[in-house]
Amino acid sequence: MAEAISLPFEARLKLSDKPPHVMLEHFHAGYELQLVINASYQLFVREENYAVSARELVFIDEYNLHKLIYDQNAPCERYIIHFKRSFVQNFLRTWGGENLLDELSKKPSSHINLAPATYENVRSLFERLCDLSSDAEMSPDKREGLIKSALFLLLETIRSLLPDAREEIHTKKQDQVRAIIHYLDEHFAEDITLEQLEKVFFLTKYHICHIFKEVTGFSLFSYLQHRRVIEAQRLLRVPGTKATDICYQCGFSGVQQFYKVFKKVVNLTPRAYAKRYAK
């Protein structure tokens, strides 16, 4: 489901001594930064499904569908930062970082496990942003300026740390699923059936569903529904767009199905979402 980012910027240290619940797939209308102190979970994001452990740094793009599956026998301690592009973009433009977020979004890998010394440096930036975020005694304007400066430094640091090449897993199964994801991302506006995918990939529909779930953690049609809803959210944020038009542009078979799926994922009807978030 979609998780709303209610504030332009949020930073917190999330601690849990109890086994956390398994999280379902979700996405944000904004960016997410994670720095793991102590945790063990599986994360699917940007076609990658990998194990996350201590000292992991993660950048998650806006509207990027991701899923976390926790080890319920392990504690989870991590820094989490959420922010909207609109919060920092003008500041970045003023100081020469206009393309920084786009550069991060285009990085082939969204995560890296940090060496101990590098981890401590990055952790100090996360701590600084958490402290600023919770400082109620500082004037709002001063606090916002310091947060934007520290966030700019953190984003530049992440840009320099994220690898420029992804460590590929060249198994046949991984390659097949990656090809299926690319196809779904390119053709989500069309009427996609399992029979159609059989013909495209020369695999049985049962095998397609099995390997997709095994590799990504999503059912194939759950992924496809979320992909369509994500695109619908983008379009609904444009003033003057009509939900009935967006319905068919995003691959839904009819208005009733569109409203039902959108409400299930976002917890708002398309019309209510547009009214709340249209720019």
Side-chain angles (χ1 to χ4, degrees):
M1 64 180 291
E3 289 198 348
I5 297 179
S6 56
L7 298 174
F9 175 88
E10 298 175 284
R12 68 188 188 278
L13 174 60
K14 189 172 183 179
L15 302 173
S16 175
D17 294 326
K18 298 180 180 179
H21 297 290
V22 173
M23 289 187 65
L24 299 178
E25 54 265 25
H26 64 283
F27 56 92
H28 313 280
Y31 297 88
E32 179 176 325
L33 310 176
Q34 296 184 24
L35 182 66
V36 177
I37 301 170
N38 180 26
S40 176
Y41 57 89
Q42 287 290 127
L43 176 62
F44 172 84
V45 62
R46 202 187 290 177
E47 301 175 18
E48 294 182 277
N49 195 355
Y50 56 91
V52 173
S53 57
R55 304 199 311 271
E56 198 83 22
L57 174 65
V58 182
F59 170 85
I60 300 178
D61 200 4
E62 57 182 352
Y63 294 104
N64 204 315
L65 182 61
H66 51 288
K67 182 173 185 174
L68 296 87
I69 304 176
Y70 291 104
D71 178 350
Q72 297 191 38
N73 295 315
C76 182
E77 302 174 62
R78 58 196 173 119
Y79 292 97
I80 298 179
I81 292 174
H82 291 128
F83 67 95
K84 297 181 180 180
R85 177 183 282 262
S86 58
F87 172 72
V88 75
Q89 188 59 38
N90 286 339
F91 184 91
L92 296 178
R93 185 179 297 112
T94 300
W95 296 100
E98 181 176 1
N99 299 319
L100 179 54
L101 292 174
D102 294 329
E103 290 176 18
L104 284 166
S105 299
K106 292 175 182 176
K107 284 278 188 177
S109 184
S110 59
H111 68 102
I112 185 172
N113 195 269
L114 303 175
T118 305
Y119 166 76
E120 290 301 330
N121 291 334
V122 174
R123 180 171 179 170
S124 68
L125 293 173
F126 274 85
E127 287 179 344
R128 173 64 171 158
L129 283 162
C130 287
D131 290 343
L132 287 169
S133 182
S134 60
D135 191 340
E137 297 183 1
M138 192 180 299
S139 70
D141 289 344
K142 182 178 180 180
R143 183 172 67 244
E144 181 175 319
L146 290 174
I147 286 174
K148 289 178 178 178
S149 298
L151 181 58
F152 186 12
L153 180 57
L154 176 58
L155 292 172
E156 278 287 4
T157 301
I158 293 173
R159 184 184 63 80
S160 69
L161 291 171
L162 287 181
D164 291 318
R166 181 164 56 192
E167 184 180 351
E168 299 288 355
I169 304 175
H170 289 289
T171 66
K172 184 176 181 181
K173 190 182 300 182
Q174 289 278 352
D175 288 342
Q176 287 173 335
V177 171
R178 186 164 296 161
I180 294 169
I181 290 174
H182 286 168
Y183 185 88
L184 296 179
D185 287 347
E186 291 177 3
H187 298 274
F188 67 87
E190 303 170 12
D191 181 18
I192 297 175
T193 65
L194 287 172
E195 290 72 22
Q196 176 185 349
L197 294 177
E198 280 185 318
K199 294 177 181 178
V200 172
F201 295 103
F202 302 102
L203 301 169
T204 69
K205 57 186 177 183
Y206 306 105
H207 184 68
I208 289 172
C209 291
H210 175 73
I211 63 172
F212 196 92
K213 177 72 173 179
E214 181 182 339
V215 171
T216 69
F218 296 90
S219 73
L220 189 144
F221 282 100
S222 173
Y223 180 89
L224 183 57
Q225 281 189 339
H226 278 80
R227 182 66 184 82
R228 287 168 171 165
V229 168
I230 288 170
E231 186 61 24
Q233 283 189 294
R234 292 182 189 272
L235 295 174
L236 286 166
R237 285 174 172 261
V238 179
T241 54
K242 295 181 180 179
T244 51
D245 295 336
I246 291 172
C247 162
Y248 298 105
Q249 291 177 40
C250 296
F252 293 97
S253 60
V255 175
Q256 186 175 0
Q257 186 211 23
F258 175 43
Y259 269 69
K260 180 180 179 180
V261 173
F262 193 96
K263 178 70 181 297
K264 179 182 177 181
V265 173
V266 184
N267 287 328
L268 291 170
T269 66
R271 185 170 297 176
Y273 182 89
K275 185 176 181 180
R276 179 179 296 185
Y277 295 109
K279 299 175 182 177

